[in-house]
């Protein structure tokens, strides 16, 4: 009898769950129909469907779509902004509403309903509205602040800026200042527009400056050096800055020959010296260390590159001096503790070196792992999952914001779901944000889970940060290419955070961020079917092609994993260019002195992620130093 009751209860519960699922599916269908009614402008159909969807998690989104089509429904817009002020769609609707007011010149209403949210276009319209409603002086002062930018501002700022240009607040000096800012930020079109605003006597000078920006070698022409004044000296300094990007040695030579006679303020001279010194360091020039050491501007970037310049020389006296000039805060980082320990080890201070290596080895990072190898210590992995109470995830998932995310995902609205997710998690405490990362993980939304955990500043949940997705495909193709699966997983984790639909700004696609052209070339080599862009989103295809390409790079660089990783990120030509000119170089020095910050971080990440993944795979045989033997000359 008791067992029968249990069975009956299970049937009742199951039928209830099925009913809920059917109800939710019906709501989703009605939501899609309501959206179609919005598109048609069918008010009757929309209202009928909206009435039955009032408790559906995406009801605010649906209502937003309807109201933005007819912003003249002022009372309904106001009601929406009041009733749904805590949703993402309140600010979106307000923006549309304000734009509509501006289009109708309803300036008083605009000032009454404007809420600052960082949107420069709407802020410009607000100050224009203030100008139109009797607050001209304050409006123009704010216009001056917004106008003084090295980049173009939105077109909505045009009328306000035109009034500023006609006012006594606009000066010749302001135009020159913004002109120079625009050129420094590589906004040439803006600089050309500003040059036309200058008074007639200044336009020739501005034209000369624009010519030097385009062809910096013009600064050496006699006519440009015969009559040096404050303005022509600034043009000369700009040309030096441009030359330094491609030929820092020549830029230094020209600058040193002329700088004493240039009527420039000390600050500009110092900034030029700084840019030249860093340009020498970026291009791995031998003069970089001395130049960096002689600077009077000594910020964090200069301090770091002074260490790297000394490392390139492999001059341990210089390395010691450069490391000792780091701040106490910087020396708390495992990176600089490691290099400080290296200095002690090379200079015969074994006890001090071991103490610092032991300290750095407490960090789960590239430098922590290197330090651990230096003193034969196990790697510090600190695998501590996000703490969760029994109902934490269920309670979070039940919140309206997260119900909306779940529905958007169910409707395959991936981008809208992500926007809603970041809105929802942006309102949470750090503790709750870490729980949200676990919720995303439970939904199989691994890239979002990883990014959310980063925003929560929680780093110790290794299963969440380094998921074992696509393991079967990774192991299959790693075996075929004689690669360590942990290394392939490290590349995937760094390239895409395991997002099979990842797309980069330059067009790389999928898990291993394969460029379509490279994918087609590899497919021909391995006699596979023609690769299309969409096929690169297939995990199996992408891992097959990416693994094959990584193996090719390994063969090109004699099995050197660190060099292959650098080539995978920056291209084999650049990686080859960075090889030592003569003699071998310790791999830790070579990685630290990679001139591209992105590639430097990339190589360190891939190697350290490979170590973490071998721990996740329960195969802790690999040492990070196994992946980075001495780097041979080019």
């Amino acid at each position: 009898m008791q067992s029968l009751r249990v069975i009956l209860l299970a049937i009742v519960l199951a039928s209830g769950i099925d009913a809920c699922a059917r109800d939710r599916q019906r709501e989703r269908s009605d939501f899609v129909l309501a959206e179609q009614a919005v598109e048609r402008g069918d008010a009757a159909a929309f209202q009928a469907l909206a009435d039955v969807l009032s408790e559906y998690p995406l009801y605010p989104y649906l209502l937003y779509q309807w109201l933005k089509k007819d912003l003249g429904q002022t009372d309904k817009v106001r009601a929406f902004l009041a009733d749904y002020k805590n949703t993402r769609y309140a600010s979106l609707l307000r923006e549309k509403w304000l734009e509509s007011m501006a289009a109708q010149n309803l300036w008083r209403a605009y000032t009454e309903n404007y809420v600052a949210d960082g949107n420069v276009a709407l802020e410009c319209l607000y100050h224009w509205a203030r100008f139109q409603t009797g607050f001209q002086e304050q409006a123009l002062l704010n216009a001056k602040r917004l106008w003084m930018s090295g980049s173009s501002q939105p077109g909505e700022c045009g009328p306000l800026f035109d009034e500023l240009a006609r006012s006594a607040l606009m000066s010749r000096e302001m135009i020159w200042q913004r002109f120079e800012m625009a050129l420094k930020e590589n906004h040439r079109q803006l600089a050309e527009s500003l040059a036309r605003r200058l008074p007639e006597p200044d336009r020739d000078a501005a034209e000369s400056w624009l010519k030097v920006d385009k062809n910096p070698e013009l600064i050496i022409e006699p006519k440009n050096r015969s009559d040096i004044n404050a303005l022509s000296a600034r043009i000369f300094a700009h040309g030096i800055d441009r030359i330094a990007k491609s030929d820092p040695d020549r830029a230094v030579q020209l600058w040193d020959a002329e700088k004493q006679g240039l009527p420039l303020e000390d600050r500009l001279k110092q900034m030029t010296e700084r840019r030249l010194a860093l340009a020498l360091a970026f291009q791995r020039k031998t003069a970089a260390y001395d130049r960096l050491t002689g600077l009077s501007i000594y910020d964090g970037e200069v301090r770091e590159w002074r260490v790297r310049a000394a490392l390139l020389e492999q001059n341990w006296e210089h390395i010691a001096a450069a490391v000792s000039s780091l701040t106490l805060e910087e020396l708390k980082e495992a990176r600089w503790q490691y290099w400080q320990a290296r200095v002690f080890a090379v200079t015969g201070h074994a006890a001090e070196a071991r103490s610092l290596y032991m300290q750095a080895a407490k960090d789960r990072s590239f430098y922590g792992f290197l330090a651990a190898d230096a003193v034969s210590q196990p790697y510090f992995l600190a695998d501590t999952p996000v703490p969760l109470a029994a109902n934490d995830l269920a309670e979070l998932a039940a919140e309206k914001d997260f119900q909306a995310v779940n529905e958007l995902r169910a409707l395959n609205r991936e981008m809208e779901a992500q926007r809603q997710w970041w809105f929802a998690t942006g309102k949470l405490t750090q503790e709750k944000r870490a729980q949200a990362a676990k919720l995303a993980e439970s939904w199989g939304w691994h890239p979002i889970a990883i990014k959310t955990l980063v925003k929560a500043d929680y780093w110790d949940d290794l299963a969440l940060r380094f998921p074992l997705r696509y393991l079967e495909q990774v192991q299959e193709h790693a075996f075929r290419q004689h690669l360590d699966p942990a290394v392939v997983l490290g590349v995937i984790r760094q390239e895409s955070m395991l997002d099979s639909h990842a797309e980069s700004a330059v067009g790389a696609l999928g898990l291993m961020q394969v460029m379509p052209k490279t994918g087609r070339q590899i497919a021909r080599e391995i006699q596979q079917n023609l690769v299309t862009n969409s096929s690169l989103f297939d995990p199996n295809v992408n891992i097959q092609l990416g693994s094959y390409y990584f193996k090719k790079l390994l063969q090109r660089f004699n099995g050197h994993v660190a060099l292959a990783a650098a080539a995978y990120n920056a291209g084999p030509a650049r990686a080859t260019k960075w090889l030592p000119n003569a003699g071998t170089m310790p791999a830790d020095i070579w990685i630290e002195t990679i001139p591209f910050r992105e590639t430097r971080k990339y190589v360190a990440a891939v190697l350290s992620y490979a170590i973490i993944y071998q721990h996740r795979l329960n195969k802790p045989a690999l040492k990070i130093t196994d992946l980075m033997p001495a780097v041979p000359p080019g």
Side-chain angles (χ1 to χ4, degrees):
M1 192 67 169
Q2 183 66 30
S3 61
L4 180 60
R5 286 176 180 168
V6 170
I7 293 169
L8 290 172
L9 179 60
I11 292 170
V12 169
L13 287 173
S15 64
I17 291 169
D18 287 345
C20 288
R22 285 195 299 273
D23 288 346
R24 184 46 53 92
Q25 191 56 52
R26 185 162 50 248
E27 286 177 323
R28 289 169 186 163
S29 298
D30 287 345
F31 175 80
V32 172
L33 291 173
E35 283 189 316
Q36 293 169 358
V38 170
E39 287 301 311
R40 295 193 308 271
D42 188 337
F46 170 79
Q47 196 58 59
L49 289 162
D51 286 344
V52 300
L53 289 169
S54 60
E55 297 303 316
Y56 181 55
L58 293 184
Y59 179 73
Y61 179 36
L62 182 64
L63 197 53
Y64 158 73
Q65 292 184 71
W66 176 257
L67 290 173
K68 75 175 183 177
K69 290 275 189 177
D70 182 7
L71 293 162
Q73 306 173 76
T74 304
D75 290 342
K76 290 183 178 180
V77 170
R78 288 186 190 280
F80 181 93
L81 295 177
D83 294 342
Y84 300 103
K85 61 184 177 183
N86 294 323
T87 70
R88 190 170 79 86
Y89 303 103
S91 61
L92 294 177
L93 185 63
R94 187 183 296 277
E95 286 182 11
K96 299 288 184 186
W97 194 32
L98 290 170
E99 288 167 1
S100 173
M101 291 177 198
Q104 299 173 73
N105 297 324
L106 300 175
W107 301 120
R108 192 166 301 283
Y110 192 104
T111 61
E112 291 169 355
N113 291 284
Y114 173 74
V115 175
D117 64 356
N119 185 317
V120 175
L122 294 181
E123 185 181 358
C124 275
L125 289 172
Y126 170 71
H127 295 304
W128 180 239
R130 295 269 292 167
F131 185 91
Q132 295 292 324
T133 53
F135 298 92
Q136 287 88 351
E137 184 178 351
Q138 297 96 318
L140 291 177
L141 285 171
N142 281 290
K144 181 179 178 181
R145 172 180 55 80
L146 290 164
W147 184 84
M148 193 57 71
S149 165
S151 56
S152 296
Q153 296 288 44
E156 288 86 347
C157 299
L160 185 67
F161 288 172
D162 288 344
E163 285 295 339
L164 176 65
R166 288 190 284 268
S167 76
L169 288 175
M170 181 61 73
S171 67
R172 166 180 173 267
E173 289 74 20
M174 278 175 57
I175 299 173
W176 270 119
Q177 187 179 348
R178 192 180 184 203
F179 173 87
E180 190 170 0
M181 288 167 64
L183 284 183
K184 284 189 185 303
E185 295 178 27
N186 295 311
H187 295 298
R188 183 179 173 87
Q189 192 172 357
L190 173 60
E192 290 171 346
S193 171
L194 289 163
R196 292 191 289 271
R197 288 176 175 260
L198 285 163
E200 193 67 45
D202 289 347
R203 289 181 195 168
D204 287 343
E207 187 59 34
S208 295
W209 201 326
L210 287 164
K211 287 178 180 177
V212 165
D213 181 72
K214 192 172 185 178
N215 180 13
E217 290 290 337
L218 290 173
I219 62 172
I220 66 172
E221 290 189 357
K223 66 178 181 180
N224 291 326
R225 300 168 73 182
S226 58
D227 182 24
I228 296 293
N229 55 38
L231 186 57
S232 61
R234 294 182 81 86
I235 295 173
F236 182 83
H238 183 80
I240 291 293
D241 193 32
R242 284 289 187 264
I243 292 171
K245 294 181 188 303
S246 58
D247 191 350
D249 287 328
R250 176 165 171 72
V252 166
Q253 180 185 21
L254 290 170
W255 174 252
D256 286 349
E258 300 288 341
K259 65 183 179 183
Q260 296 303 327
L262 295 175
L264 291 170
E265 60 267 31
D266 286 345
R267 180 69 179 170
L268 182 55
K269 283 187 176 180
Q270 291 168 10
M271 291 302 295
T272 303
E273 290 281 0
R274 178 186 181 278
R275 287 194 292 271
L276 287 172
L278 288 171
L280 289 169
F282 295 159
Q283 296 206 18
R284 304 159 73 87
K285 301 290 184 178
T286 55
Y289 178 82
D290 288 339
R291 200 87 192 185
L292 288 162
T293 301
L295 292 177
S296 52
I297 296 177
Y298 220 63
D299 54 32
E301 187 177 19
V302 168
R303 286 191 295 272
E304 288 191 13
W305 274 101
R306 187 177 173 221
V307 177
R308 293 189 184 109
L311 286 168
L312 271 173
E313 297 176 345
Q314 297 190 57
N315 181 323
W316 289 96
E317 183 180 347
H318 286 174
I319 296 167
V323 170
S324 67
S325 71
L326 296 169
T327 66
L328 291 175
E329 197 61 32
E330 287 164 345
L331 286 170
K332 291 178 183 177
E333 295 178 32
R335 175 199 303 269
W336 304 121
Q337 289 171 352
Y338 172 78
W339 286 115
Q340 195 175 21
R342 282 275 271 135
V343 169
F344 280 131
V346 171
T347 55
H349 298 82
E352 291 89 340
R354 181 173 180 81
S355 175
L356 278 167
Y357 278 138
M358 292 293 287
Q359 193 173 339
K362 294 175 184 176
D363 195 65
R364 187 186 53 242
S365 68
F366 174 68
Y367 294 96
F369 296 157
L370 284 179
D373 278 4
V375 287
S376 301
Q377 290 294 304
Y379 295 139
F380 179 80
L381 292 164
D383 189 358
T384 308
V386 172
L388 288 173
N391 295 323
D392 282 346
L393 294 191
E395 289 174 1
L396 197 61
E399 291 184 10
K400 288 184 178 180
D401 281 339
F402 291 97
Q403 286 188 50
V405 173
N406 199 35
E407 287 307 297
L408 288 164
R409 295 189 74 227
L411 291 163
N412 295 314
R413 313 288 177 89
E414 179 66 19
M415 288 309 300
E416 189 66 19
Q418 288 190 30
R419 295 187 191 105
Q420 175 64 21
W421 177 268
W422 297 123
F423 173 82
T425 56
K427 298 190 290 184
L428 300 178
T429 63
Q430 293 291 71
E431 180 185 4
K432 283 287 187 182
R433 203 170 288 163
Q435 293 174 10
K438 296 297 283 186
L439 179 63
E441 179 190 37
S442 73
W443 288 350
W445 216 9
H446 295 284
I448 298 298
I450 294 168
K451 293 174 186 175
T452 306
L453 202 63
V454 170
K455 289 180 181 291
D457 197 25
Y458 192 98
W459 305 94
D460 294 338
D461 192 326
L462 298 192
L464 192 155
R465 289 187 61 213
F466 300 94
L468 293 173
R469 295 194 75 197
Y470 313 112
L471 184 57
E472 184 178 340
Q473 297 97 317
V474 167
Q475 289 177 327
E476 176 189 348
H477 295 297
F479 176 78
R480 287 185 183 180
Q481 302 304 331
H482 306 287
L483 297 172
D484 190 317
V487 172
V488 177
L489 284 165
V491 173
I492 291 172
R493 173 61 174 76
Q494 177 59 21
E495 285 287 349
S496 66
M497 290 190 184
L498 290 91
D499 181 357
S500 63
H501 283 81
E503 297 184 55
S504 78
V506 296
L509 304 175
L511 289 169
M512 296 188 75
Q513 290 290 274
V514 177
M515 294 293 291
K517 182 179 178 181
T518 304
R520 289 191 288 272
Q521 177 186 330
I522 295 169
R524 285 193 294 270
E525 289 181 24
I526 62 178
Q527 299 181 332
Q528 286 282 40
N529 294 333
L530 182 66
V531 170
T532 63
N533 285 16
S534 60
S535 68
L536 289 174
F537 295 127
D538 181 317
N540 191 58
V541 172
N542 195 281
I543 294 170
Q544 179 187 27
L545 299 176
S547 298
Y548 180 88
Y549 181 58
F550 195 83
K551 178 64 176 196
K552 282 188 68 174
L553 293 173
L554 268 178
Q555 291 170 338
R556 176 166 178 167
F557 291 100
N558 299 313
H560 202 299
V561 175
L563 296 182
Y568 198 95
N569 176 258
R574 286 200 183 102
T576 301
K577 181 182 176 183
W578 298 333
L579 294 176
N581 292 325
T584 61
M585 177 182 285
D588 57 351
I589 291 179
W590 186 83
I591 293 168
E592 184 63 61
T593 56
I594 291 172
F596 289 6
R597 180 173 180 269
E598 178 195 329
T599 305
R600 194 164 60 247
K601 291 181 66 177
Y602 179 93
V603 174
V606 167
L607 300 187
S608 57
Y609 291 172
I611 296 302
I612 294 170
Y613 265 115
Q614 70 158 1
H615 165 76
R616 295 275 293 122
L617 293 168
N618 295 313
K619 296 179 179 178
L622 192 67
K623 294 290 185 187
I624 200 163
T625 43
D626 296 337
L627 303 175
M628 40 190 293
V631 176

